[in-house]
Amino acid sequence: MTTAVTSPKLDALDALESEAIHVFREVAGEFDRPVILFSGGKDSTLLVHLAVKAFAPAPVPFPLLHVDTGHNYPEVIEFRDRIAATLGLRLEVARVEDYLADGRLAERADGTRNPLQTQPLLDAIAEHRFDAVFGGGRRDEERARAKERIMSLRDAFGRWDPRKQRPELWNLYNGRHAPGEHVRVFPISNWTEVDVWRYIRREGIELPPIYFAHSRPVFRRDGMWLAEGPWGGPRAGETLETRTVRYRTVGDGSCTGAVESTASTLDEVIAEVTASRLTERGATRADDRLSEAAMEDRKKEGYF
């Protein structure tokens, strides 16, 4: 008599988690010097959580890297440093402020610094000879990211060339690269924003408090609620007022807006995101509201 062996059914989050962990382990086996981009935002925090699960009980075998524009929210920087210290992970920080101070970069006329991250990022990759760079990009965020592979080749200058991207069949990834080249790796490409929040709830992952409703002085610009800060504002004609807001994404304060919200729990955030007709980037990131061609150009330059 034989007994049928049945496999436990995976739900959607189990399947996404399994795929991401598979990618982390593939990279660990195939590359010499991987690094995880970690800003303290929800997607990169999710990446670090998945990396911990991929290698437990051993420690995560990769350092963390953050390109700090100098215009980040203090709550997020505190969270970034605390999580890295708690996990015992080395945190490398490339600072845009250093490039502005010595003249390698100049402030943009519009005051935003997100586009200035590219050169410090590429310099840090070259300096540390990182050959695989994990990012938290997801295909549902906007069109330029939707075209990305799980493993995306960058040339010796950090540039993305669509003609050199390899097909990815099923879960077969091609990490082949020449000396000096590196590969950007996106383990959560197939996740949606709702998937991210549901997984955060399931796993009990801590996030910076600004992801939840709180009272904050903000001003209106280009349809977004921006916070006052060293990035400038409010300008003449812009009025500072206190609103109940939260952030769907975090980043440079000069171009990252808040949304009016009373969602103070994970269940309320998930309900709000599920009902929204705008992606988090379309709703709150000024730099992602540029044309699709502009984002493609930034990707070619090595931005993400």
Side-chain angles (χ1 to χ4, degrees):
M1 178 179 176
T2 58
T3 303
V5 177
T6 58
S7 299
K9 286 187 176 180
L10 298 180
D11 67 16
L13 292 183
D14 291 333
L16 290 170
E17 177 192 69
S18 178
E19 179 187 58
I21 286 176
H22 171 68
V23 172
F24 272 110
R25 291 173 177 169
E26 282 286 299
V27 169
E30 196 168 348
F31 292 83
D32 295 323
R33 300 177 70 85
V35 67
I36 301 173
L37 295 178
F38 179 59
S39 65
K42 69 180 189 311
D43 295 312
S44 62
T45 300
L46 174 62
L47 277 187
V48 171
H49 179 84
L50 290 165
V52 169
K53 294 192 80 168
F55 301 106
V60 176
F62 318 131
L64 308 177
L65 171 64
H66 182 216
V67 181
D68 188 344
T69 66
H71 285 173
N72 293 287
Y73 296 93
E75 302 96 320
V76 180
I77 295 300
E78 184 279 331
F79 176 82
R80 176 201 71 182
D81 293 344
R82 179 164 53 80
I83 293 299
T86 300
L87 295 175
L89 298 177
R90 189 177 99 233
L91 173 65
E92 301 286 349
V93 180
R95 293 180 172 81
V96 170
E97 296 275 12
D98 293 341
Y99 284 70
L100 295 171
D102 64 17
R104 283 176 289 175
L105 290 174
E107 292 277 16
R108 292 164 49 90
D110 61 7
T112 63
R113 289 188 175 176
N114 259 7
L116 302 182
Q117 295 179 87
T118 302
Q119 192 57 51
L121 170 62
L122 296 180
D123 287 351
I125 291 171
E127 177 188 352
H128 296 284
R129 294 181 289 114
F130 294 132
D131 56 2
V133 181
F134 289 99
R138 305 191 322 268
R139 289 176 174 140
D140 75 325
E141 291 182 85
E142 50 82 34
R143 293 175 180 175
R145 290 172 175 81
K147 299 174 183 175
E148 274 290 12
R149 306 289 200 275
I150 299 289
M151 291 191 186
S152 182
L153 182 68
R154 298 294 191 270
D155 67 15
F157 301 98
R159 297 176 304 199
W160 178 79
D161 183 345
R163 295 168 299 182
K164 293 185 177 180
Q165 302 307 307
R166 296 80 173 258
E168 289 184 339
L169 304 177
W170 303 286
N171 61 349
L172 302 177
Y173 307 117
N174 186 344
R176 180 170 51 85
H177 61 284
E181 295 178 340
H182 72 275
V183 173
R184 302 290 174 91
V185 187
F186 303 104
I188 61 171
S189 278
N190 293 323
W191 297 52
T192 66
E193 184 183 6
V194 174
D195 292 329
V196 169
W197 280 107
R198 287 176 174 160
Y199 188 78
I200 286 168
R201 178 178 61 182
R202 187 181 92 170
E203 299 289 308
I205 300 172
E206 182 187 358
L207 292 178
I210 67 173
Y211 277 109
F212 302 95
H214 58 285
S215 181
R216 181 179 289 263
V218 291
F219 60 91
R220 197 76 168 163
R221 180 183 296 169
D222 298 330
M224 296 192 306
W225 289 108
L226 298 179
E228 61 177 342
W231 42 83
R235 299 170 183 162
E238 296 172 334
T239 303
L240 201 61
E241 52 189 297
T242 299
R243 296 269 177 166
T244 300
V245 299
R246 73 174 194 88
Y247 288 83
R248 288 178 67 178
T249 181
V250 300
D252 189 89
S254 61
C255 59
T256 304
V259 294
E260 288 191 271
S261 170
T262 57
S264 58
T265 68
L266 286 170
D267 286 342
E268 291 170 348
V269 168
I270 290 168
E272 183 181 274
V273 171
T274 302
S276 175
R277 301 270 68 86
L278 286 175
T279 70
E280 67 205 83
R281 297 214 168 243
T284 63
R285 290 294 284 268
D287 55 332
D288 282 351
R289 293 178 170 185
L290 302 175
S291 69
E292 182 183 1
M295 290 305 296
E296 289 288 348
D297 289 343
R298 291 172 64 187
K299 187 165 71 172
K300 289 177 182 176
E301 293 166 359
Y303 174 65
F304 71 89

